Amino acid sequence: MAVLENCEPKNVFHYFEEICKIPHGSGNTKQISDYLVQFAKDRGLKYIQDEMNNVVIYKPGTPGYENAPTVILQGHMDMVCEKRPDVVHDFTKDGLKLSVEGDYISANGTTLGGDDGVAVAYGLAILDSDTIAHPPLEVFITVDEEIGLLGAVGFDCSVLKGRRFINLDSEAEGSLWISCAGGMSGISHIPVARVDAKGEKIAVKITGLMGGHSGAEIDKNRANANKLLGTFLYSLRKTTDYELISVQGGQKDNAITREAEAKLLIDAKELENVKAFAAELQKAWREEYTGTDEGITVLLTDEGAQEARVLHPTSREKVVFYLMNVPFGIQKMSGTISGLVETSSNIGILVTSEDEVTASSSIRSSVEAAGKNLSDKLEYLTEFLGGEYEIKGVYPAWEYRKDSPLRDKMVEVYEQMYGEKPKVVAIHAGLECGLFYKKMEGLDCVSLGPDIIDIHTSEEKLGISSTRRVWNYLIKVLEALKD
């Protein structure tokens, strides 16, 4: 029996569960892309699968809609792969383990991939139906959105004829998203030298943080484990001498880092002092982050007396200086839209190799000049420490369009259904709409979706009744787009 068998609408949740059986983390999308192609073949629908594994499935308009303007329904097939430390799960080969509790679906300690599996499920359910009235459709599913919108960047948009574009990658029912921030990944490479040392080796792990989406949750005062690790290392040196072997934390720069770890050498006589220091800092952090991250935990593991190649003292200080000074969180609020984060940064990845510490930050801004300025700060910080800086995954902001017939029609349909206007909002998270808006002249975009809670975390939940209501609304919107 399918876990979601009793969830309505049945066809949407059927396809959502089928998607969840297929590993589809970013960079691992061939299998799910082929699933989409086979879906199209089985139904005799025209399709395109490009070299990157992006997929477009075409469906003619239903009777009476044959000559209506084409509508693009768009989402992405990849998901962020995060899990709780106690959960055994291999995202490269294991399907998700779904469960239903009340009105929500979750994945038992891993990310659910509602972002953006629900878009794929909506698209397939519409393509599979012979009763839903709709214009000609281009259901467009991209790859690797979560690691820099790579599928959208590399896609040849000439195969898309539609100019009415409904993105299905939002997470707030009752809201129509009509603008978003642009962004990039700013990557710092800090060179390090090493020397030989002996001592008591300890692992310091900062864990128990909430994490979350580095755009949607950046305004919620959630802690970043990489930044806390920098604070730990800086503060510890005031009380105890130590040698630094490595620092590491996070796997995605678009997720607020939940765990980070440092390997140190200390004098064995100082072990109890370090434990006491860690306990005191943990207490202070739990007070500082009351309401968001009361579960912050500093774990110390004694790995015994060892010899190790540690960072030269100068290199150690450079790394600690970088972690203390790298920007994190809101950098500026919008001066024109109340409550909107304009510019932010999130150091989401921290890795140590033999001769380098690498850090990757997600930089977001709805103002191009502000985003560049923040990137320049990161570049200057990196170069000041003798490192090299690079930019990857640049994507443009989706600018507000004053005249939008699609938006007006969708507002009208919402009012007819619910007797009130939807929220029409700009958001700080990045969407592929910005890229397509730049690449496709005359594109009219709106984004919508059901409630998804705590995306990009192991606590992610998809609202069942919300998914049903947004489905009903989407069907009504398609029915209304006859002219």
Side-chain angles (χ1 to χ4, degrees):
M1 178 178 172
V3 176
L4 307 184
E5 187 174 30
N6 295 322
C7 297
E8 295 285 351
K10 287 189 179 297
N11 225 19
V12 172
F13 285 110
H14 164 75
Y15 285 114
F16 185 80
E17 188 161 2
E18 289 298 299
I19 292 161
C20 290
K21 294 176 183 177
I22 304 169
H24 57 283
S26 301
N28 182 35
T29 54
K30 176 61 174 169
Q31 188 177 350
I32 191 168
S33 179
D34 288 345
Y35 169 84
L36 297 176
V37 167
Q38 191 60 51
F39 172 95
K41 288 180 177 178
D42 291 345
R43 289 155 184 80
L45 298 173
K46 178 185 173 184
Y47 69 89
I48 290 174
Q49 181 184 42
D50 69 8
E51 293 181 355
M52 297 185 71
N53 292 323
N54 295 304
V55 173
V56 183
I57 303 175
Y58 303 86
K59 187 178 183 183
T62 54
Y65 290 78
E66 296 92 341
N67 298 317
T70 299
V71 173
I72 300 169
L73 299 178
Q74 190 269 325
H76 61 89
M77 66 184 81
D78 63 309
M79 64 173 283
V80 168
C81 298
E82 291 281 341
K83 67 182 184 69
R84 289 200 309 260
D86 60 314
V87 172
V88 177
H89 187 89
D90 185 346
F91 283 102
T92 65
K93 62 182 181 182
D94 296 339
L96 302 176
K97 298 176 177 63
L98 304 182
S99 63
V100 175
E101 184 173 347
D103 193 36
Y104 290 97
I105 300 166
S106 63
N108 297 335
T110 74
T111 38
L112 173 66
D115 174 19
D116 194 21
V118 70
V120 182
Y122 278 154
L124 296 183
I126 291 169
L127 291 170
D128 195 38
S129 172
D130 57 6
T131 60
I132 296 170
H134 59 76
L137 296 176
E138 297 171 334
V139 176
F140 175 29
I141 310 297
T142 56
V143 299
D144 297 342
E145 186 267 357
E146 300 289 6
I147 54 174
L149 286 68
L150 302 183
V153 170
F155 186 73
D156 177 6
C157 292
S158 67
V159 301
L160 297 173
K161 304 306 179 187
R163 288 300 180 269
R164 296 192 294 190
F165 189 105
I166 301 176
N167 170 274
L168 300 168
D169 192 18
S170 70
E171 301 93 29
E173 181 192 352
S175 294
L176 300 180
W177 292 356
I178 43 76
S179 177
C180 75
M184 67 190 82
S185 292
I187 304 170
S188 302
H189 302 273
I190 310 296
V192 296
R194 291 186 179 269
V195 295
D196 294 323
K198 297 179 181 180
E200 194 78 4
K201 184 178 180 182
I202 62 170
V204 180
K205 188 172 187 178
I206 298 172
T207 186
L209 281 68
M210 186 67 180
H213 190 290
S214 67
E217 271 80 48
I218 203 69
D219 61 342
K220 294 182 171 56
N221 194 40
R222 295 181 183 176
N224 180 305
N226 287 331
K227 289 292 290 182
L228 295 186
L229 186 63
T231 300
F232 180 96
L233 295 173
Y234 174 75
S235 301
L236 178 62
R237 72 175 190 164
K238 295 180 179 181
T239 61
T240 304
D241 290 333
Y242 66 86
E243 304 291 349
L244 180 60
I245 301 171
S246 64
V247 289
Q248 185 156 336
Q251 298 179 339
K252 305 284 190 305
D253 66 17
N254 62 357
I256 301 171
T257 310
R258 299 174 67 244
E259 295 185 349
E261 184 176 55
K263 298 292 182 72
L264 312 176
L265 288 185
I266 62 171
D267 186 323
K269 297 177 183 178
E270 296 293 324
L271 182 58
E272 293 305 315
N273 290 336
V274 175
K275 288 181 179 179
F277 167 81
E280 189 65 27
L281 197 53
Q282 173 182 289
K283 179 182 177 182
W285 281 338
R286 289 183 176 184
E287 291 177 359
E288 179 180 355
Y289 290 99
T290 297
T292 58
D293 290 286
E294 298 99 330
I296 291 175
T297 302
V298 183
L299 298 175
L300 265 63
T301 304
D302 182 2
E303 300 183 6
Q306 295 188 26
E307 296 183 8
R309 294 278 291 168
V310 301
L311 271 59
H312 185 280
T314 301
S315 296
R316 178 191 63 205
E317 292 310 305
K318 286 182 177 181
V319 171
V320 175
F321 185 90
Y322 181 88
L323 292 176
M324 286 294 290
N325 288 279
V326 64
F328 165 68
I330 298 171
Q331 304 298 301
K332 187 174 183 294
M333 297 297 291
S334 172
T336 57
I337 302 176
S338 178
L340 176 67
V341 177
E342 177 200 278
T343 307
S344 74
S345 182
N346 175 66
I347 174 173
I349 303 174
L350 185 64
V351 180
T352 303
S353 66
E354 179 65 23
D355 57 3
E356 181 177 280
V357 169
T358 304
S360 181
S361 292
S362 173
I363 298 168
R364 301 176 189 268
S365 184
S366 52
V367 177
E368 185 176 348
K372 182 182 183 303
N373 181 54
L374 181 53
S375 178
D376 286 347
K377 288 182 180 180
L378 267 172
E379 182 175 27
Y380 188 32
L381 172 61
T382 304
E383 293 178 345
F384 179 79
L385 298 172
E388 296 183 355
Y389 179 76
E390 63 175 322
I391 295 170
K392 290 185 176 180
V394 178
Y395 58 94
W398 172 21
E399 299 174 2
Y400 172 75
R401 176 171 168 163
K402 184 178 179 180
D403 298 315
S404 170
L406 177 60
R407 179 185 67 228
D408 294 344
K409 177 59 71 174
M410 292 178 70
V411 168
E412 178 186 318
V413 171
Y414 192 93
E415 283 189 278
Q416 291 172 353
M417 291 182 69
Y418 300 110
E420 60 183 13
K421 291 182 180 291
K423 297 176 182 177
V424 179
V425 297
I427 63 163
H428 185 59
L431 291 172
E432 292 163 301
C433 301
L435 274 167
F436 296 124
Y437 190 76
K438 295 287 186 183
K439 294 170 75 170
M440 301 170 67
E441 186 177 352
L443 200 66
D444 192 359
C445 303
V446 177
S447 179
L448 77 156
D451 290 334
I452 309 177
I453 300 171
D454 293 328
I455 62 171
H456 296 189
T457 79
S458 57
E459 310 307 313
E460 182 182 1
K461 297 177 183 177
L462 170 64
I464 297 171
S465 62
S466 179
T467 299
R468 182 184 68 249
R469 288 189 296 269
V470 171
W471 166 257
N472 292 337
Y473 172 60
L474 177 60
I475 298 310
K476 288 293 184 182
V477 167
L478 292 176
E479 183 181 308
L481 294 176
K482 195 170 187 178
D483 301 319

